[in-house]
Amino acid sequence: MGTPPCKQKAARSAIIVLLALQTSLITVASYGTASADTSPPSTAVVAVSPSTVNHPADARGAVAQTPTADAQRSSKSPHQQVATVRKTTETKPDQPIRLGQAQAFHRLKAAGLRWKSSGGCTDRRLGHCTSLQAVRAATVADVIDLKRDSKCPVVVTGGTEVGHSPGRYSHHRGYKLDIRPNRCISDYITDGQRPDAVRGDGAPLYRDGGTVYAREPDHWDILFR
């Protein structure tokens, strides 16, 4: 017994509709897959403020920290860096300690030494004065030791005033003092110290380590080193 013609027609129509629907679904799925494979990846756009551009650490969410000492030094201008170097080099520990006139005078007086100026003044800019301004503390200590060791009276008559020979180890730079000669101190120097040739101006020299005594006509010129 065969299927009625009307039922066969309806079945064919249903099959055609199902095939059409299936084809549509496949086409849509293929298009979506192709679109997913070929479309470029989406890029998130973030608004960045000018301050963030200048400070990349803020863009990463980093916590701002206080600059280190090295960073602060490196941020200084060249003039500031030069000033820092100059300040460091100006404070060398091997620079001699120097005394003022009053300081040196009181140290000599406390140790029993005397000070005498032919002009009765202490201005180091005047040759007829006897100044102790800017004399080395070590020079004052050495002449005090000379009095103690010799047990002789010592009178300082020349210091850092102008009028003496220039040089690295000179009166003006605080390395030399003149003292008044007397029999006690002269015998101590000539008998106890080693003779050391004659200076260019004819003054006999005597040496005791770094100390050099030069016998000039009216005083002893002494270099303390």
Side-chain angles (χ1 to χ4, degrees):
M1 181 174 176
T3 302
C6 58
K7 290 185 178 181
Q8 292 178 352
K9 185 177 181 180
R12 283 197 298 271
S13 298
I15 292 172
I16 292 172
V17 171
L18 289 175
L19 290 174
L21 179 61
Q22 184 177 6
T23 302
S24 298
L25 290 175
I26 293 172
T27 302
V28 171
S30 300
Y31 177 78
T33 303
S35 299
D37 292 339
T38 58
S39 62
S42 61
T43 303
V45 178
V46 180
V48 180
S49 67
S51 61
T52 304
V53 173
N54 294 331
H55 302 283
D58 295 340
R60 296 193 302 269
V63 178
Q65 297 180 354
T66 303
T68 62
D70 291 338
Q72 290 174 338
R73 284 195 294 269
S74 63
S75 64
K76 290 181 180 179
S77 68
H79 298 290
Q80 291 174 316
Q81 293 175 359
V82 170
T84 301
V85 173
R86 183 179 296 114
K87 182 178 180 182
T88 302
T89 57
E90 287 175 350
T91 55
K92 294 181 179 180
D94 58 347
Q95 292 296 318
I97 298 173
R98 299 187 179 277
L99 304 177
Q101 172 68 34
Q103 289 176 301
F105 176 77
H106 286 305
R107 292 191 186 190
L108 294 178
K109 184 178 180 180
L113 287 78
R114 295 171 56 201
W115 167 89
K116 181 69 176 177
S117 170
S118 59
C121 51
T122 62
D123 191 337
R124 72 184 305 206
R125 297 170 296 181
L126 303 176
H128 62 275
C129 297
T130 297
S131 177
L132 297 173
Q133 182 65 35
V135 68
R136 292 165 61 243
T139 298
V140 173
D142 286 341
V143 76
I144 291 173
D145 288 343
L146 174 62
K147 181 189 186 308
R148 184 194 65 226
D149 296 341
S150 67
K151 299 179 175 59
C152 298
V154 174
V155 181
V156 175
T157 60
T160 59
E161 67 279 352
V162 298
H164 300 281
S165 298
R168 180 178 179 182
Y169 301 108
S170 62
H171 278 272
H172 194 72
R173 292 180 64 83
Y175 284 87
K176 300 181 77 173
L177 292 176
D178 292 340
I179 68 171
R180 180 181 294 172
N182 58 64
R183 183 172 181 177
C184 179
I185 195 67
S186 294
D187 287 346
Y188 174 82
I189 295 172
T190 57
D191 294 343
Q193 317 307 326
R194 177 174 58 88
D196 189 39
V198 176
R199 200 167 65 181
D201 59 356
L205 301 178
Y206 300 84
R207 181 182 296 274
D208 178 19
T211 303
V212 180
Y213 305 86
R215 184 61 168 95
E216 298 191 21
D218 60 350
H219 64 271
W220 281 98
D221 177 86
I222 308 175
L223 167 62
F224 299 100
R225 291 178 59 183

